[in-house]
Amino acid sequence: MEVIIRPTPERAALLTARIIAAELRAKPDLVLGLATGATMEGVYTALAAMHRSEGLDFSHCSTFNLDEYIGLAQDHPSSYHEYMRQHLFSRVNINRSRAHLPDGMAADLDAECPRYEERIRQAGGIDLQLLGIGRDGHIGFNEPLSALRSRTRQKALTPATLAQNARYFGGDAGKMPKRALTMGVGTILEARRCLMLVVGANKAEILARAVEGPITAMVTASALQLHPACRVIVDEAAAASLEGQDYYRWIFQDECEWGAYRDDPSV
Ligand code: PGA
């Protein structure tokens, strides 16, 4: 795992977008795992800007989102289908037939889960999985005690997650679906590379537990410590509780793989 600290949330999001863009340029038919949430909005805005101004081409890539609420229609304003349409898909030249999310309205939800896994397999597996972290340490909707080898499945949301995401439902957690379909921790760990973006002081404590604490199903993001190629991009506020801050700063300043980004004052 590699942790990279940037001064502001904007620069952390832009660095994340630049890493995605570099992978997409190197492999136009990239299979990209996508995430939702407030943290990702800056990443998608930056990718849309690169599409407009630099011709970043999404036409050959495939995408697979981590999760979707159960029981929300695709065009419900708070569904993740709608989030993705609004923040990314409508702003770039992605082929919508290759942009996948789990179907939270499937008549047979248990059958939808292996079907989603099969679609990922048929696409050749995920090359790069973008991730955020929930305040309860989840990746996707893998809430505490999710098996670290879990696959795509239905999951009941925790009160912490309901409270965190109520803002998308007019501030009323009572209006939120209580269950979601989510890729499993095991599914996520099979991605060839993982890229987690974490910003804000309210994530500092859970980030430190995920990155530097023991691997535990209580903090499913901690399973990323097992991944052979996981980068974690954070801003100063989120980094505040990390013990290894000096080392992480040194990595960005001295390691040659980061040279191209170091010289760019916007990241
Ligand atoms: P957030 O969500 O970006 O809205 O904080 C992150 C997550 O729950 O994964």
Side-chain angles (χ1 to χ4, degrees):
M1 184 180 275
E2 225 169 30
V3 178
I4 297 298
I5 304 172
R6 305 311 303 135
T8 65
E10 292 77 20
R11 289 173 69 173
L14 192 52
L15 176 58
T16 303
R18 288 222 180 277
I19 292 169
I20 296 169
E23 297 239 2
L24 191 53
R25 288 195 178 100
K27 185 174 189 268
D29 62 349
L30 192 74
V31 181
L32 189 53
L34 295 176
T36 51
T39 310
M40 298 304 151
E41 291 177 16
V43 176
Y44 297 141
T45 297
L47 287 172
M50 284 184 242
H51 170 65
R52 276 195 314 275
S53 62
E54 301 168 19
L56 184 65
D57 182 15
F58 289 80
S59 65
H60 300 289
C61 83
S62 308
T63 65
F64 288 89
N65 266 78
L66 287 165
D67 44 22
E68 178 58 287
Y69 293 109
I70 290 175
L72 289 194
Q74 292 189 8
D75 61 356
H76 186 287
S78 305
S79 75
Y80 285 159
H81 280 80
E82 179 58 22
Y83 173 105
M84 290 310 304
R85 190 197 65 71
Q86 194 184 324
H87 292 289
L88 187 67
F89 298 159
S90 65
R91 300 158 95 186
V92 299
N93 64 335
I94 198 161
N95 180 336
R96 293 292 284 273
S97 69
R98 285 200 289 268
H100 308 275
L101 289 91
D103 179 5
M105 293 290 280
D108 185 343
L109 290 165
D110 286 336
E112 168 64 7
C113 298
R115 205 164 33 230
Y116 198 61
E117 295 263 343
E118 182 55 28
R119 260 180 266 153
I120 294 172
R121 248 190 314 274
Q122 281 172 0
I126 292 172
D127 291 308
L128 177 65
Q129 177 66 56
L130 182 61
L131 297 161
I133 189 172
R135 278 184 223 161
D136 65 358
H138 68 207
I139 44 175
F141 273 134
N142 291 287
E143 303 289 41
L145 297 189
S146 290
L148 300 184
R149 300 177 70 174
S150 50
R151 313 300 308 186
T152 301
R153 70 209 184 290
Q154 300 185 48
K155 195 71 198 164
L157 305 180
T158 60
T161 297
L162 295 174
Q164 180 185 323
N165 289 0
R167 63 186 185 276
Y168 294 109
F169 295 83
D172 183 357
K175 290 192 182 137
M176 281 185 66
K178 304 288 182 291
R179 301 176 69 78
L181 295 183
T182 181
M183 279 187 205
V185 182
T187 321
I188 293 168
L189 290 180
E190 280 175 11
R192 292 181 188 92
R193 289 173 298 288
C194 287
L195 183 60
M196 185 159 77
L197 173 63
V198 184
V199 300
N202 62 1
K203 298 281 179 69
E205 192 215 338
I206 196 67
L207 174 72
R209 288 178 65 195
V211 169
E212 295 177 338
I215 297 173
T216 168
M218 280 301 287
V219 179
T220 55
S222 68
L224 294 170
Q225 294 176 35
L226 294 167
H227 196 283
C230 178
R231 287 167 159 175
V232 184
I233 314 291
V234 307
D235 71 343
E236 284 287 352
S241 302
L242 294 174
E243 275 180 32
Q245 286 180 47
D246 292 346
Y247 174 57
Y248 311 147
R249 289 202 172 84
W250 179 83
I251 294 275
F252 188 72
Q253 288 314 321
D254 283 50
E255 287 292 286
C256 60
E257 61 172 304
W258 294 102
Y261 300 110
R262 228 169 12 238
D263 300 337
D264 180 347
S266 61
V267 303

